[in-house]
PDB file of all heavy atoms in Angstrom:
ATOM      1  N   LYS M 253       0.828  -1.229  -0.006  1.00 95.00           N
ATOM      2  CA  LYS M 253      -0.023  -0.011  -0.019  1.00 95.00           C
ATOM      3  C   LYS M 253       0.844   1.285   0.009  1.00 95.00           C
ATOM      4  O   LYS M 253       0.641   2.195  -0.762  1.00 95.00           O
ATOM      5  CB  LYS M 253      -0.966   0.012   1.200  1.00 95.00           C
ATOM      6  CG  LYS M 253      -1.939   1.168   1.203  1.00 95.00           C
ATOM      7  CD  LYS M 253      -2.848   0.992   2.471  1.00 95.00           C
ATOM      8  CE  LYS M 253      -3.759   2.209   2.512  1.00 95.00           C
ATOM      9  NZ  LYS M 253      -4.679   2.145   3.771  1.00 95.00           N
ATOM     10  N   ALA M 254       1.879   1.279   0.829  1.00 95.00           N
ATOM     11  CA  ALA M 254       2.797   2.436   0.931  1.00 95.00           C
ATOM     12  C   ALA M 254       3.614   2.639  -0.344  1.00 95.00           C
ATOM     13  O   ALA M 254       3.748   3.732  -0.824  1.00 95.00           O
ATOM     14  CB  ALA M 254       3.821   2.292   2.112  1.00 95.00           C
ATOM     15  N   ALA M 255       3.963   1.550  -0.978  1.00 96.00           N
ATOM     16  CA  ALA M 255       4.755   1.556  -2.203  1.00 96.00           C
ATOM     17  C   ALA M 255       3.835   2.189  -3.314  1.00 96.00           C
ATOM     18  O   ALA M 255       4.369   3.066  -4.081  1.00 96.00           O
ATOM     19  CB  ALA M 255       5.261   0.186  -2.569  1.00 96.00           C
ATOM     20  N   CYS M 256       2.542   1.730  -3.430  1.00 96.00           N
ATOM     21  CA  CYS M 256       1.698   2.257  -4.432  1.00 96.00           C
ATOM     22  C   CYS M 256       1.427   3.739  -4.285  1.00 96.00           C
ATOM     23  O   CYS M 256       1.395   4.511  -5.256  1.00 96.00           O
ATOM     24  CB  CYS M 256       0.473   1.436  -4.487  1.00 96.00           C
ATOM     25  SG  CYS M 256       0.635  -0.317  -5.081  1.00 96.00           S
ATOM     26  N   ARG M 257       1.253   4.112  -2.963  1.00 95.00           N
ATOM     27  CA  ARG M 257       1.047   5.530  -2.672  1.00 95.00           C
ATOM     28  C   ARG M 257       2.271   6.369  -3.193  1.00 95.00           C
ATOM     29  O   ARG M 257       2.041   7.483  -3.695  1.00 95.00           O
ATOM     30  CB  ARG M 257       0.745   5.691  -1.140  1.00 95.00           C
ATOM     31  CG  ARG M 257       0.497   7.146  -0.794  1.00 95.00           C
ATOM     32  CD  ARG M 257       0.060   7.268   0.664  1.00 95.00           C
ATOM     33  NE  ARG M 257       1.129   6.787   1.515  1.00 95.00           N
ATOM     34  CZ  ARG M 257       0.854   5.733   2.312  1.00 95.00           C
ATOM     35  NH1 ARG M 257      -0.151   4.876   2.193  1.00 95.00           N
ATOM     36  NH2 ARG M 257       1.853   5.354   3.149  1.00 95.00           N
ATOM     37  N   GLU M 258       3.487   5.945  -2.895  1.00 95.00           N
ATOM     38  CA  GLU M 258       4.626   6.700  -3.269  1.00 95.00           C
ATOM     39  C   GLU M 258       4.794   6.774  -4.800  1.00 95.00           C
ATOM     40  O   GLU M 258       4.998   7.782  -5.284  1.00 95.00           O
ATOM     41  CB  GLU M 258       5.889   5.892  -2.752  1.00 95.00           C
ATOM     42  CG  GLU M 258       7.239   6.515  -3.101  1.00 95.00           C
ATOM     43  CD  GLU M 258       7.457   7.894  -2.713  1.00 95.00           C
ATOM     44  OE1 GLU M 258       6.990   8.192  -1.548  1.00 95.00           O
ATOM     45  OE2 GLU M 258       8.135   8.677  -3.436  1.00 95.00           O
ATOM     46  N   LEU M 259       4.526   5.693  -5.526  1.00 96.00           N
ATOM     47  CA  LEU M 259       4.640   5.771  -6.935  1.00 96.00           C
ATOM     48  C   LEU M 259       3.501   6.622  -7.426  1.00 96.00           C
ATOM     49  O   LEU M 259       3.643   7.345  -8.512  1.00 96.00           O
ATOM     50  CB  LEU M 259       4.435   4.357  -7.522  1.00 96.00           C
ATOM     51  CG  LEU M 259       5.660   3.283  -7.133  1.00 96.00           C
ATOM     52  CD1 LEU M 259       5.261   1.934  -7.354  1.00 96.00           C
ATOM     53  CD2 LEU M 259       6.848   3.789  -8.137  1.00 96.00           C
ATOM     54  N   GLY M 260       2.405   6.596  -6.798  1.00 95.00           N
ATOM     55  CA  GLY M 260       1.274   7.483  -7.348  1.00 95.00           C
ATOM     56  C   GLY M 260       1.517   9.031  -7.143  1.00 95.00           C
ATOM     57  O   GLY M 260       0.972   9.812  -7.776  1.00 95.00           O
ATOM     58  N   GLN M 261       2.490   9.346  -6.259  1.00 93.00           N
ATOM     59  CA  GLN M 261       2.796  10.669  -6.106  1.00 93.00           C
ATOM     60  C   GLN M 261       4.142  11.027  -6.891  1.00 93.00           C
ATOM     61  O   GLN M 261       4.617  12.186  -6.756  1.00 93.00           O
ATOM     62  CB  GLN M 261       3.212  10.903  -4.545  1.00 93.00           C
ATOM     63  CG  GLN M 261       2.022  10.644  -3.580  1.00 93.00           C
ATOM     64  CD  GLN M 261       2.391  10.710  -2.187  1.00 93.00           C
ATOM     65  OE1 GLN M 261       3.608  10.642  -1.748  1.00 93.00           O
ATOM     66  NE2 GLN M 261       1.376  10.828  -1.200  1.00 93.00           N
ATOM     67  N   GLY M 262       4.520  10.241  -7.730  1.00 93.00           N
ATOM     68  CA  GLY M 262       5.522  10.505  -8.734  1.00 93.00           C
ATOM     69  C   GLY M 262       6.919  10.085  -8.469  1.00 93.00           C
ATOM     70  O   GLY M 262       7.923  10.453  -9.095  1.00 93.00           O
ATOM     71  N   GLY M 263       7.039   9.442  -7.302  1.00 93.00           N
ATOM     72  CA  GLY M 263       8.382   8.961  -6.821  1.00 93.00           C
ATOM     73  C   GLY M 263       8.850   7.657  -7.553  1.00 93.00           C
ATOM     74  O   GLY M 263       7.982   7.029  -8.250  1.00 93.00           O
ATOM     75  N   GLN M 264      10.036   7.247  -7.294  1.00 96.00           N
ATOM     76  CA  GLN M 264      10.524   5.903  -7.744  1.00 96.00           C
ATOM     77  C   GLN M 264      10.716   4.971  -6.534  1.00 96.00           C
ATOM     78  O   GLN M 264      11.024   5.499  -5.495  1.00 96.00           O
ATOM     79  CB  GLN M 264      11.868   6.175  -8.502  1.00 96.00           C
ATOM     80  CG  GLN M 264      11.654   7.026  -9.790  1.00 96.00           C
ATOM     81  CD  GLN M 264      12.913   7.238 -10.568  1.00 96.00           C
ATOM     82  OE1 GLN M 264      13.971   7.219  -9.961  1.00 96.00           O
ATOM     83  NE2 GLN M 264      12.874   7.465 -11.837  1.00 96.00           N
ATOM     84  N   LEU M 265      10.606   3.758  -6.830  1.00 97.00           N
ATOM     85  CA  LEU M 265      10.751   2.766  -5.655  1.00 97.00           C
ATOM     86  C   LEU M 265      11.825   1.815  -5.921  1.00 97.00           C
ATOM     87  O   LEU M 265      11.983   1.244  -6.968  1.00 97.00           O
ATOM     88  CB  LEU M 265       9.471   1.965  -5.621  1.00 97.00           C
ATOM     89  CG  LEU M 265       9.331   0.892  -4.557  1.00 97.00           C
ATOM     90  CD1 LEU M 265       9.107   1.585  -3.215  1.00 97.00           C
ATOM     91  CD2 LEU M 265       8.159  -0.123  -4.791  1.00 97.00           C
ATOM     92  N   LEU M 266      12.693   1.650  -4.988  1.00 98.00           N
ATOM     93  CA  LEU M 266      13.917   0.778  -4.991  1.00 98.00           C
ATOM     94  C   LEU M 266      13.524  -0.400  -4.302  1.00 98.00           C
ATOM     95  O   LEU M 266      13.204  -0.482  -3.032  1.00 98.00           O
ATOM     96  CB  LEU M 266      15.182   1.387  -4.350  1.00 98.00           C
ATOM     97  CG  LEU M 266      16.286   0.555  -4.351  1.00 98.00           C
ATOM     98  CD1 LEU M 266      16.831   0.089  -5.717  1.00 98.00           C
ATOM     99  CD2 LEU M 266      17.566   1.196  -3.582  1.00 98.00           C
ATOM    100  N   LEU M 267      13.407  -1.630  -5.122  1.00 97.00           N
ATOM    101  CA  LEU M 267      12.961  -2.836  -4.475  1.00 97.00           C
ATOM    102  C   LEU M 267      13.850  -3.962  -4.907  1.00 97.00           C
ATOM    103  O   LEU M 267      13.926  -4.115  -6.218  1.00 97.00           O
ATOM    104  CB  LEU M 267      11.494  -3.004  -4.792  1.00 97.00           C
ATOM    105  CG  LEU M 267      10.936  -4.425  -4.545  1.00 97.00           C
ATOM    106  CD1 LEU M 267      10.941  -4.753  -3.071  1.00 97.00           C
ATOM    107  CD2 LEU M 267       9.493  -4.582  -5.021  1.00 97.00           C
ATOM    108  N   PHE M 268      14.520  -4.649  -4.154  1.00 96.00           N
ATOM    109  CA  PHE M 268      15.352  -5.838  -4.633  1.00 96.00           C
ATOM    110  C   PHE M 268      14.444  -6.956  -4.773  1.00 96.00           C
ATOM    111  O   PHE M 268      13.918  -7.603  -3.671  1.00 96.00           O
ATOM    112  CB  PHE M 268      16.510  -6.078  -3.644  1.00 96.00           C
ATOM    113  CG  PHE M 268      17.516  -4.971  -3.556  1.00 96.00           C
ATOM    114  CD1 PHE M 268      17.462  -3.946  -2.618  1.00 96.00           C
ATOM    115  CD2 PHE M 268      18.550  -4.814  -4.529  1.00 96.00           C
ATOM    116  CE1 PHE M 268      18.346  -3.011  -2.589  1.00 96.00           C
ATOM    117  CE2 PHE M 268      19.475  -3.849  -4.557  1.00 96.00           C
ATOM    118  CZ  PHE M 268      19.366  -2.912  -3.536  1.00 96.00           C
ATOM    119  N   PRO M 269      14.197  -7.406  -5.991  1.00 95.00           N
ATOM    120  CA  PRO M 269      13.225  -8.526  -6.172  1.00 95.00           C
ATOM    121  C   PRO M 269      13.665  -9.903  -5.624  1.00 95.00           C
ATOM    122  O   PRO M 269      12.790 -10.753  -5.403  1.00 95.00           O
ATOM    123  CB  PRO M 269      13.063  -8.614  -7.681  1.00 95.00           C
ATOM    124  CG  PRO M 269      14.277  -7.988  -8.232  1.00 95.00           C
ATOM    125  CD  PRO M 269      14.693  -6.940  -7.195  1.00 95.00           C
ATOM    126  N   GLU M 270      14.974 -10.072  -5.184  1.00 95.00           N
ATOM    127  CA  GLU M 270      15.359 -11.250  -4.503  1.00 95.00           C
ATOM    128  C   GLU M 270      14.846 -11.351  -3.153  1.00 95.00           C
ATOM    129  O   GLU M 270      14.844 -12.393  -2.468  1.00 95.00           O
ATOM    130  CB  GLU M 270      16.901 -11.415  -4.701  1.00 95.00           C
ATOM    131  CG  GLU M 270      17.462 -11.653  -6.084  1.00 95.00           C
ATOM    132  CD  GLU M 270      18.864 -11.653  -6.031  1.00 95.00           C
ATOM    133  OE1 GLU M 270      19.593 -12.642  -5.812  1.00 95.00           O
ATOM    134  OE2 GLU M 270      19.528 -10.610  -6.306  1.00 95.00           O
ATOM    135  N   GLY M 271      14.649 -10.264  -2.542  1.00 91.00           N
ATOM    136  CA  GLY M 271      14.225 -10.165  -1.190  1.00 91.00           C
ATOM    137  C   GLY M 271      15.381 -10.149  -0.211  1.00 91.00           C
ATOM    138  O   GLY M 271      15.275  -9.807   0.992  1.00 91.00           O
ATOM    139  N   THR M 272      16.604 -10.570  -0.558  1.00 92.00           N
ATOM    140  CA  THR M 272      17.856 -10.570   0.195  1.00 92.00           C
ATOM    141  C   THR M 272      18.908 -10.572  -0.618  1.00 92.00           C
ATOM    142  O   THR M 272      18.802 -10.763  -1.925  1.00 92.00           O
ATOM    143  CB  THR M 272      17.803 -11.766   1.234  1.00 92.00           C
ATOM    144  OG1 THR M 272      18.962 -11.671   2.096  1.00 92.00           O
ATOM    145  CG2 THR M 272      17.880 -13.124   0.414  1.00 92.00           C
ATOM    146  N   ARG M 273      20.237 -10.546  -0.150  1.00 95.00           N
ATOM    147  CA  ARG M 273      21.337 -10.637  -1.083  1.00 95.00           C
ATOM    148  C   ARG M 273      21.399 -12.045  -1.727  1.00 95.00           C
ATOM    149  O   ARG M 273      20.952 -12.981  -1.101  1.00 95.00           O
ATOM    150  CB  ARG M 273      22.637 -10.345  -0.264  1.00 95.00           C
ATOM    151  CG  ARG M 273      22.809  -8.784   0.058  1.00 95.00           C
ATOM    152  CD  ARG M 273      23.985  -8.690   0.986  1.00 95.00           C
ATOM    153  NE  ARG M 273      23.579  -9.000   2.465  1.00 95.00           N
ATOM    154  CZ  ARG M 273      24.354  -9.161   3.459  1.00 95.00           C
ATOM    155  NH1 ARG M 273      25.687  -9.073   3.293  1.00 95.00           N
ATOM    156  NH2 ARG M 273      23.858  -9.520   4.613  1.00 95.00           N
ATOM    157  N   THR M 274      22.068 -12.155  -2.807  1.00 95.00           N
ATOM    158  CA  THR M 274      22.176 -13.303  -3.585  1.00 95.00           C
ATOM    159  C   THR M 274      22.935 -14.384  -2.767  1.00 95.00           C
ATOM    160  O   THR M 274      24.116 -14.135  -2.302  1.00 95.00           O
ATOM    161  CB  THR M 274      22.861 -12.979  -4.854  1.00 95.00           C
ATOM    162  OG1 THR M 274      22.271 -11.971  -5.652  1.00 95.00           O
ATOM    163  CG2 THR M 274      22.906 -14.319  -5.773  1.00 95.00           C
ATOM    164  N   VAL M 275      22.287 -15.555  -2.573  1.00 93.00           N
ATOM    165  CA  VAL M 275      23.029 -16.666  -2.031  1.00 93.00           C
ATOM    166  C   VAL M 275      23.136 -17.817  -2.900  1.00 93.00           C
ATOM    167  O   VAL M 275      23.842 -18.774  -2.729  1.00 93.00           O
ATOM    168  CB  VAL M 275      22.081 -17.155  -0.774  1.00 93.00           C
ATOM    169  CG1 VAL M 275      22.224 -16.125   0.413  1.00 93.00           C
ATOM    170  CG2 VAL M 275      20.763 -17.511  -1.044  1.00 93.00           C
ATOM    171  N   ARG M 276      22.343 -17.757  -4.137  1.00 87.00           N
ATOM    172  CA  ARG M 276      22.485 -18.801  -5.037  1.00 87.00           C
ATOM    173  C   ARG M 276      22.701 -18.186  -6.374  1.00 87.00           C
ATOM    174  O   ARG M 276      21.805 -17.793  -7.210  1.00 87.00           O
ATOM    175  CB  ARG M 276      21.196 -19.695  -5.200  1.00 87.00           C
ATOM    176  CG  ARG M 276      21.283 -20.883  -5.895  1.00 87.00           C
ATOM    177  CD  ARG M 276      19.906 -21.341  -6.359  1.00 87.00           C
ATOM    178  NE  ARG M 276      19.229 -20.484  -7.265  1.00 87.00           N
ATOM    179  CZ  ARG M 276      18.005 -20.632  -7.901  1.00 87.00           C
ATOM    180  NH1 ARG M 276      17.288 -21.719  -7.511  1.00 87.00           N
ATOM    181  NH2 ARG M 276      17.546 -19.841  -8.747  1.00 87.00           N
ATOM    182  N   PRO M 277      24.065 -17.863  -6.682  1.00 88.00           N
ATOM    183  CA  PRO M 277      24.341 -17.270  -8.003  1.00 88.00           C
ATOM    184  C   PRO M 277      23.853 -17.961  -9.247  1.00 88.00           C
ATOM    185  O   PRO M 277      23.734 -19.139  -9.205  1.00 88.00           O
ATOM    186  CB  PRO M 277      25.890 -17.231  -7.868  1.00 88.00           C
ATOM    187  CG  PRO M 277      26.254 -17.371  -6.493  1.00 88.00           C
ATOM    188  CD  PRO M 277      25.227 -18.314  -5.944  1.00 88.00           C
ATOM    189  N   PRO M 278      23.450 -17.234 -10.226  1.00 91.00           N
ATOM    190  CA  PRO M 278      23.610 -15.820 -10.438  1.00 91.00           C
ATOM    191  C   PRO M 278      22.489 -14.962  -9.741  1.00 91.00           C
ATOM    192  O   PRO M 278      22.555 -13.843  -9.573  1.00 91.00           O
ATOM    193  CB  PRO M 278      23.631 -15.619 -11.899  1.00 91.00           C
ATOM    194  CG  PRO M 278      22.659 -16.717 -12.416  1.00 91.00           C
ATOM    195  CD  PRO M 278      23.009 -17.888 -11.527  1.00 91.00           C
ATOM    196  N   ILE M 279      21.292 -15.633  -9.413  1.00 94.00           N
ATOM    197  CA  ILE M 279      20.245 -14.949  -8.841  1.00 94.00           C
ATOM    198  C   ILE M 279      19.330 -15.890  -7.892  1.00 94.00           C
ATOM    199  O   ILE M 279      19.201 -17.078  -8.168  1.00 94.00           O
ATOM    200  CB  ILE M 279      19.355 -14.367  -9.992  1.00 94.00           C
ATOM    201  CG1 ILE M 279      18.288 -13.266  -9.368  1.00 94.00           C
ATOM    202  CG2 ILE M 279      18.582 -15.477 -10.703  1.00 94.00           C
ATOM    203  CD1 ILE M 279      18.849 -11.889  -9.353  1.00 94.00           C
ATOM    204  N   ASN M 280      18.795 -15.247  -6.837  1.00 94.00           N
ATOM    205  CA  ASN M 280      17.913 -16.028  -5.945  1.00 94.00           C
ATOM    206  C   ASN M 280      16.583 -16.225  -6.724  1.00 94.00           C
ATOM    207  O   ASN M 280      16.264 -15.455  -7.537  1.00 94.00           O
ATOM    208  CB  ASN M 280      17.781 -15.418  -4.581  1.00 94.00           C
ATOM    209  CG  ASN M 280      19.039 -15.355  -3.808  1.00 94.00           C
ATOM    210  OD1 ASN M 280      19.827 -16.091  -3.935  1.00 94.00           O
ATOM    211  ND2 ASN M 280      19.004 -14.343  -2.961  1.00 94.00           N
ATOM    212  N   PRO M 281      15.712 -17.156  -6.149  1.00 94.00           N
ATOM    213  CA  PRO M 281      14.362 -17.122  -6.629  1.00 94.00           C
ATOM    214  C   PRO M 281      13.696 -15.757  -6.288  1.00 94.00           C
ATOM    215  O   PRO M 281      13.997 -15.261  -5.123  1.00 94.00           O
ATOM    216  CB  PRO M 281      13.686 -18.337  -5.844  1.00 94.00           C
ATOM    217  CG  PRO M 281      14.859 -19.263  -5.555  1.00 94.00           C
ATOM    218  CD  PRO M 281      16.032 -18.369  -5.329  1.00 94.00           C
ATOM    219  N   LEU M 282      12.925 -15.271  -7.192  1.00 94.00           N
ATOM    220  CA  LEU M 282      12.447 -13.917  -6.910  1.00 94.00           C
ATOM    221  C   LEU M 282      11.106 -13.948  -6.172  1.00 94.00           C
ATOM    222  O   LEU M 282      10.250 -14.868  -6.399  1.00 94.00           O
ATOM    223  CB  LEU M 282      12.228 -13.160  -8.236  1.00 94.00           C
ATOM    224  CG  LEU M 282      13.620 -13.009  -9.025  1.00 94.00           C
ATOM    225  CD1 LEU M 282      13.310 -11.964 -10.215  1.00 94.00           C
ATOM    226  CD2 LEU M 282      14.667 -12.432  -8.195  1.00 94.00           C
ATOM    227  N   VAL M 283      10.823 -13.006  -5.353  1.00 90.00           N
ATOM    228  CA  VAL M 283       9.557 -12.852  -4.655  1.00 90.00           C
ATOM    229  C   VAL M 283       8.498 -12.137  -5.613  1.00 90.00           C
ATOM    230  O   VAL M 283       8.872 -11.386  -6.399  1.00 90.00           O
ATOM    231  CB  VAL M 283       9.723 -12.082  -3.344  1.00 90.00           C
ATOM    232  CG1 VAL M 283      10.541 -12.907  -2.404  1.00 90.00           C
ATOM    233  CG2 VAL M 283      10.138 -10.750  -3.481  1.00 90.00           C
ATOM    234  N   PRO M 284       7.254 -12.397  -5.501  1.00 91.00           N
ATOM    235  CA  PRO M 284       6.234 -11.706  -6.374  1.00 91.00           C
ATOM    236  C   PRO M 284       5.881 -10.265  -6.136  1.00 91.00           C
ATOM    237  O   PRO M 284       5.126  -9.664  -6.889  1.00 91.00           O
ATOM    238  CB  PRO M 284       4.993 -12.651  -6.227  1.00 91.00           C
ATOM    239  CG  PRO M 284       5.202 -13.281  -4.826  1.00 91.00           C
ATOM    240  CD  PRO M 284       6.665 -13.426  -4.601  1.00 91.00           C
ATOM    241  N   ALA M 285       6.506  -9.678  -5.022  1.00 93.00           N
ATOM    242  CA  ALA M 285       6.061  -8.374  -4.560  1.00 93.00           C
ATOM    243  C   ALA M 285       6.274  -7.381  -5.702  1.00 93.00           C
ATOM    244  O   ALA M 285       5.560  -6.447  -5.916  1.00 93.00           O
ATOM    245  CB  ALA M 285       6.726  -7.916  -3.336  1.00 93.00           C
ATOM    246  N   THR M 286       7.422  -7.548  -6.437  1.00 95.00           N
ATOM    247  CA  THR M 286       7.767  -6.576  -7.463  1.00 95.00           C
ATOM    248  C   THR M 286       6.598  -6.409  -8.562  1.00 95.00           C
ATOM    249  O   THR M 286       6.115  -5.360  -8.914  1.00 95.00           O
ATOM    250  CB  THR M 286       9.030  -6.931  -8.194  1.00 95.00           C
ATOM    251  OG1 THR M 286      10.051  -7.151  -7.253  1.00 95.00           O
ATOM    252  CG2 THR M 286       9.541  -5.864  -9.122  1.00 95.00           C
ATOM    253  N   GLY M 287       6.161  -7.568  -9.040  1.00 96.00           N
ATOM    254  CA  GLY M 287       5.110  -7.607  -9.966  1.00 96.00           C
ATOM    255  C   GLY M 287       3.802  -7.114  -9.426  1.00 96.00           C
ATOM    256  O   GLY M 287       3.023  -6.355 -10.161  1.00 96.00           O
ATOM    257  N   ALA M 288       3.625  -7.542  -8.286  1.00 96.00           N
ATOM    258  CA  ALA M 288       2.245  -7.105  -7.571  1.00 96.00           C
ATOM    259  C   ALA M 288       2.223  -5.566  -7.466  1.00 96.00           C
ATOM    260  O   ALA M 288       1.151  -5.012  -7.771  1.00 96.00           O
ATOM    261  CB  ALA M 288       2.180  -7.717  -6.218  1.00 96.00           C
ATOM    262  N   ILE M 289       3.227  -4.884  -6.928  1.00 97.00           N
ATOM    263  CA  ILE M 289       3.316  -3.437  -6.875  1.00 97.00           C
ATOM    264  C   ILE M 289       3.122  -2.782  -8.277  1.00 97.00           C
ATOM    265  O   ILE M 289       2.406  -1.886  -8.469  1.00 97.00           O
ATOM    266  CB  ILE M 289       4.496  -2.975  -6.128  1.00 97.00           C
ATOM    267  CG1 ILE M 289       4.540  -3.500  -4.701  1.00 97.00           C
ATOM    268  CG2 ILE M 289       4.618  -1.510  -6.170  1.00 97.00           C
ATOM    269  CD1 ILE M 289       5.817  -3.364  -3.937  1.00 97.00           C
ATOM    270  N   ALA M 290       3.910  -3.318  -9.146  1.00 97.00           N
ATOM    271  CA  ALA M 290       3.903  -2.806 -10.608  1.00 97.00           C
ATOM    272  C   ALA M 290       2.474  -2.819 -11.169  1.00 97.00           C
ATOM    273  O   ALA M 290       1.942  -1.990 -11.851  1.00 97.00           O
ATOM    274  CB  ALA M 290       4.917  -3.471 -11.481  1.00 97.00           C
ATOM    275  N   ARG M 291       1.845  -4.017 -10.905  1.00 97.00           N
ATOM    276  CA  ARG M 291       0.439  -4.293 -11.409  1.00 97.00           C
ATOM    277  C   ARG M 291      -0.527  -3.165 -10.826  1.00 97.00           C
ATOM    278  O   ARG M 291      -1.302  -2.543 -11.485  1.00 97.00           O
ATOM    279  CB  ARG M 291       0.016  -5.603 -11.136  1.00 97.00           C
ATOM    280  CG  ARG M 291      -1.473  -5.879 -11.724  1.00 97.00           C
ATOM    281  CD  ARG M 291      -1.684  -7.476 -11.607  1.00 97.00           C
ATOM    282  NE  ARG M 291      -1.835  -7.762 -10.288  1.00 97.00           N
ATOM    283  CZ  ARG M 291      -2.844  -7.666  -9.486  1.00 97.00           C
ATOM    284  NH1 ARG M 291      -3.930  -7.060  -9.857  1.00 97.00           N
ATOM    285  NH2 ARG M 291      -2.691  -8.051  -8.115  1.00 97.00           N
TER     286      ARG M 291
END
């Protein structure tokens, strides 16, 4: 909710889609929050 409000006010959102630092190179399994907020 807060992320959508920020984007609606014209800001940009920094979100690491892995949810944490990479532990399984080259990329961790991604969480769905990135797509949910974008949608």
Side-chain angles (χ1 to χ4, degrees):
K253 183 177 179 180
C256 290
R257 182 171 61 249
E258 173 63 34
L259 290 162
Q261 294 172 348
Q264 296 177 334
L265 181 73
L266 177 59
L267 170 60
F268 292 98
E270 295 173 84
T272 186
R273 281 170 286 166
T274 305
V275 295
R276 192 200 68 180
I279 195 82
N280 295 336
L282 303 191
V283 298
T286 308
I289 295 170
R291 180 175 63 84

